[in-house]
Amino acid sequence: MASEDITKLAESLAKTKVGGGQLSFKGQSLKLNTAEDAEEVIKQIEEFDGLEALRLEGNTVGVAAAKVIAKALEKKSELKRCHWSDMFTGRLRSEIPPALISLGDALITAGAQLVELDLSDNAFGPDGVRGFEALLKSPACYTLQELKLNNCGMGIGGGKILATALKECHRKSSAQGKPLALKIFVAGRNRLENDGATALAEAFGIIGTLEEVHMPQNGINHPGITALAQAFAINPLLKVINLNDNTFTEKGAVAMAETLKALRQIEVINFGDCLVRSKGAVAIADAVKEGLHKLKELNLSFCEIKRDAALTVAEAIEDKAELEKLDLNGNCLGEEGCEQLQEILEGFNMAAVLGSLSDDEGEEEDDEEEEEDEDEEEEEEEEEEQQQLKERGQGEQESLTPKKIIDSQDSTPVPSPPVDVATFLAFPSPEKLLRLGPKCSVLIAQQTDTSDVEKVVTTLLRISSVFKDEAPVKTAVHETTDALMRKAFTSATFNSDAFITSLLIHMGLLKSEEKIKAVPSLYGILMTLNYMVQQDYFPKSLAPVLSAFVTKPNRALDSCSFARHMLLQTLHQL
């Protein structure tokens, strides 16, 4: 390390905050790559008697540095709080698990009894969960009360690993007479989806001591929401439920409303942007009216709630003396409905609790048409649910056939209907892509006219939409992308600039004069692009353009922060 770097590091460390058993290097932007880089940090740790909390947020720690820091922590048995969020900025994803393993092993060796572990904003993906899996199962976490894993890109796979580790921790700690009593769980923006949420719900049901659960922006639909609702019902101490920006629909909302009736300590309900719709809102209003006397905040904003249902919600809070905020912004009340809402609350002398209604969508005129749309969406959700069952090997036929019929018939499995390229592209799913067989990449490339930029973009988006972290699906998506895009980019007639422009429009990152509906989720295409830009056929001249648009603020990109981070990191390294 150069002398000027050592001087800079020493100056940063001079700002280190010490007090109350806490040693903080928070936000110092330290670049700790080697053992030498970490010498001053180690010295501070070793010289700190009675270390109870270590803050490493806002720095970047490499594998070698993590090993020597871990060595220093092996003697810190009093350590209780690890504030280790945003600790691997700029690191390769492969560097994070070994760094976490070193640090976790040190805590186990030290005999630490953690109360709080915060690894948020580290973008370590499913593999990263393996990095602290052993720690979670160890005696060091039997005393854990707060686990924070916000914005880590865990995915379904990571969620399942985490759930298993928590159940194992509870089992082992219970055997010692002191069951894990987790109070606060935070895992927003992790793409947990239904399977990840359901796995965690099982763990929550076993633990039973939760007071706060924060799981916003996870792509969870009503099956996952229902599983969480059932788990919450056996966590009677729950005070805060934050599931913002998932998709309840009526089914999920009704299930959650039933759970709310059984909970007596609830203070904060955040179901904003959860598509609870009117029937769901009424069910929640009934739960609020029946109890929840400690309720301080109710957020049902941007949920497609109509006027009458919104007024029902307002009437339900009449005797909620502790209520500080009611958020019904972004719904469908109309001007008259907004006025009625305010009048109701004024009648209760509670007008001050109502949040802004500036983003109200206006009253819906054609109720019949909207009900049809809602029915269609419910049907689509049912189809998706059946598809997920099939992908888990349970089969649509099994879930739809009565048990008596199954028992009375031959157990020979019903063969799946054949799939061709046109069927896959019309209704893409991971299962259909795999059923196309080993030649799926060749078939799709052969049947796509690469002289037509729009067709190439559309095909690429359909392929990437089925992306999953599971090996067979990921490999099939990568191979199919390779075949299609190699054919396109090596064609003399293919316009690369037109391709990137059209792709950005379809992703909703670039405006177009024509009305083009953006893809519903950017996760798949971002993960596919992360792979594609590293291939030899991808024109490196397109990288700066792609980077510029993916860097810009965008709500759709924010909900896929892990995939966005991965792509930007790869583009930066090109």
Side-chain angles (χ1 to χ4, degrees):
M1 182 183 278
S3 59
E4 57 268 24
D5 291 333
I6 294 174
T7 303
K8 185 178 179 182
L9 178 58
E11 289 173 355
S12 285
L13 291 171
K15 301 173 185 175
T16 300
K17 294 178 182 177
V18 178
Q22 174 174 284
L23 178 61
S24 176
F25 302 96
K26 182 178 179 180
Q28 294 184 17
S29 301
L30 302 176
K31 295 181 180 179
L32 308 178
N33 300 315
T34 66
E36 184 185 12
D37 294 341
E39 283 178 357
E40 288 292 334
V41 173
I42 293 165
K43 183 182 177 184
Q44 294 270 1
I45 292 172
E46 288 177 339
E47 293 178 354
F48 197 110
D49 292 329
L51 180 63
E52 294 184 6
L54 178 62
R55 307 196 77 103
L56 292 172
E57 311 104 305
N59 300 291
T60 178
V61 181
V63 176
K67 284 183 178 179
V68 291
I69 291 172
K71 196 69 180 172
L73 291 175
E74 287 181 358
K75 298 177 183 178
K76 301 298 176 181
S77 61
E78 296 177 10
L79 188 62
K80 292 180 173 62
R81 298 183 182 275
C82 298
H83 302 279
W84 294 349
S85 63
D86 190 20
M87 199 174 75
F88 300 106
T89 304
R91 298 289 167 189
L92 295 174
R93 186 167 159 183
S94 58
E95 292 181 84
I96 301 176
L100 288 173
I101 288 170
S102 295
L103 294 166
D105 287 349
L107 298 177
I108 296 170
T109 301
Q113 293 187 316
L114 295 185
V115 173
E116 180 179 0
L117 177 62
D118 186 354
L119 293 169
S120 299
D121 301 314
N122 277 315
F124 45 60
D127 295 339
V129 185
R130 294 285 188 198
F132 59 94
E133 180 184 16
L135 173 63
L136 280 180
K137 293 179 180 179
S138 77
C141 284
Y142 290 177
T143 50
L144 196 65
Q145 295 180 15
E146 301 179 29
L147 179 58
K148 299 173 182 177
L149 300 165
N150 201 54
N151 191 29
C152 291
M154 290 189 291
I156 294 171
K160 289 181 176 179
I161 296 167
L162 176 62
T164 300
L166 288 172
K167 288 188 288 185
E168 182 72 0
C169 181
H170 187 272
R171 184 186 69 78
K172 288 182 174 180
S173 58
S174 297
Q176 292 194 5
K178 294 182 178 180
L180 171 68
L182 192 67
K183 293 181 179 180
I184 298 174
F185 180 82
V186 181
R189 299 168 72 174
N190 269 295
R191 295 298 305 174
L192 293 169
E193 300 182 16
N194 289 333
D195 287 352
T198 301
L200 285 167
E202 186 178 338
F204 296 163
I206 292 170
I207 293 168
T209 55
L210 288 166
E211 295 180 11
E212 295 185 22
V213 175
H214 303 262
M215 295 173 66
Q217 292 186 11
N218 268 300
I220 308 170
N221 298 327
H222 72 80
I225 296 298
T226 300
L228 287 172
Q230 292 167 349
F232 292 165
I234 42 182
N235 279 266
L237 302 177
L238 264 175
K239 296 178 182 179
V240 178
I241 302 177
N242 176 7
L243 294 173
N244 189 284
D245 201 6
N246 289 291
T247 308
F248 282 42
T249 64
E250 181 188 342
K251 289 183 179 179
V254 169
M256 195 60 72
E258 285 302 307
T259 285
L260 291 175
K261 291 177 182 178
L263 299 174
R264 293 288 177 264
Q265 306 300 321
I266 288 292
E267 296 178 4
V268 177
I269 298 171
N270 186 345
F271 298 159
D273 208 4
C274 281
L275 203 67
V276 304
R277 296 203 177 106
S278 295
K279 291 179 182 177
V282 169
I284 292 169
D286 288 344
V288 171
K289 191 170 185 177
E290 285 183 23
L292 305 188
H293 295 293
K294 295 183 179 181
L295 188 64
K296 293 180 180 179
E297 181 177 336
L298 175 60
N299 184 346
L300 294 174
S301 60
F302 299 94
C303 281
E304 293 191 6
I305 300 170
K306 297 177 190 174
R307 180 181 61 181
D308 290 348
L311 299 182
T312 301
V313 172
E315 290 166 353
I317 67 166
E318 180 178 1
D319 62 345
K320 303 298 173 267
E322 301 292 320
L323 194 71
E324 298 170 2
K325 185 178 180 181
L326 172 64
D327 193 346
L328 289 167
N329 199 17
N331 287 301
C332 311
L333 281 66
E335 187 176 341
E336 185 179 340
C338 290
E339 290 175 359
Q340 290 176 321
L341 182 65
Q342 289 166 334
E343 287 172 6
I344 288 172
L345 294 174
E346 284 171 2
F348 302 154
N349 198 26
M350 297 178 71
V353 306
L354 183 62
S356 170
L357 297 172
S358 60
D359 292 319
D360 186 72
E361 295 288 340
E363 192 169 7
E364 294 287 342
E365 293 181 4
D366 196 344
D367 291 347
E368 190 174 325
E369 183 179 333
E370 182 169 333
E371 283 174 12
E372 287 177 7
D373 290 343
E374 289 181 10
D375 289 341
E376 285 176 12
E377 286 183 31
E378 292 284 354
E379 287 174 12
E380 287 174 9
E381 286 166 13
E382 292 292 345
E383 289 174 9
E384 286 176 13
E385 189 175 351
Q386 293 301 330
Q387 186 63 49
Q388 288 170 353
L389 288 172
K390 287 166 72 180
E391 286 165 16
R392 290 198 295 267
Q394 295 176 16
E396 184 175 358
Q397 193 68 31
E398 181 183 338
S399 64
L400 295 178
T401 308
K403 188 176 187 300
K404 288 181 182 178
I405 297 176
I406 292 175
D407 291 342
S408 65
Q409 291 181 350
D410 187 3
S411 61
T412 304
V414 179
S416 300
V419 174
D420 56 19
V421 172
T423 303
F424 166 72
L425 292 177
F427 305 100
S429 73
E431 190 228 15
K432 288 193 183 80
L433 181 62
L434 295 176
R435 276 167 52 198
L436 280 172
K439 293 185 178 180
C440 63
S441 57
V442 177
L443 292 170
I444 291 175
Q446 284 177 345
Q447 295 186 38
T448 304
D449 180 6
T450 52
S451 65
D452 187 332
V453 167
E454 280 299 309
K455 284 186 178 176
V456 173
V457 170
T458 302
T459 303
L460 176 63
L461 289 170
R462 294 293 173 91
I463 295 166
S464 65
S465 70
V466 305
F467 178 90
K468 281 190 172 184
D469 280 317
E470 297 165 11
V473 178
K474 183 194 289 189
T475 301
V477 169
H478 287 172
E479 289 178 352
T480 310
T481 299
D482 281 341
L484 173 68
M485 298 315 302
R486 189 180 297 279
K487 178 184 175 185
F489 283 128
T490 55
S491 170
T493 58
F494 189 69
N495 188 328
S496 299
D497 292 334
F499 164 78
I500 200 70
T501 300
S502 176
L503 181 62
L504 290 168
I505 290 170
H506 282 274
M507 290 173 69
L509 306 182
L510 183 63
K511 290 184 179 179
S512 170
E513 293 180 1
E514 299 176 20
K515 263 196 171 182
I516 294 177
K517 188 177 181 181
V519 292
S521 171
L522 294 180
Y523 179 75
I525 185 60
L526 288 172
M527 293 301 286
T528 303
L529 283 170
N530 181 54
Y531 168 80
M532 194 173 90
V533 299
Q534 300 178 61
Q535 308 312 308
D536 57 5
Y537 56 76
F538 183 80
K540 297 300 182 276
S541 60
L542 299 181
V545 179
L546 189 57
S547 180
F549 280 91
V550 175
T551 305
K552 287 183 178 180
N554 183 286
R555 186 178 178 185
L557 286 171
D558 289 342
S559 65
C560 303
S561 56
F562 169 71
R564 179 192 207 176
H565 170 80
M566 292 290 293
L567 177 56
L568 287 173
Q569 190 176 57
T570 301
L571 289 169
H572 181 69
Q573 293 169 358
L574 291 179

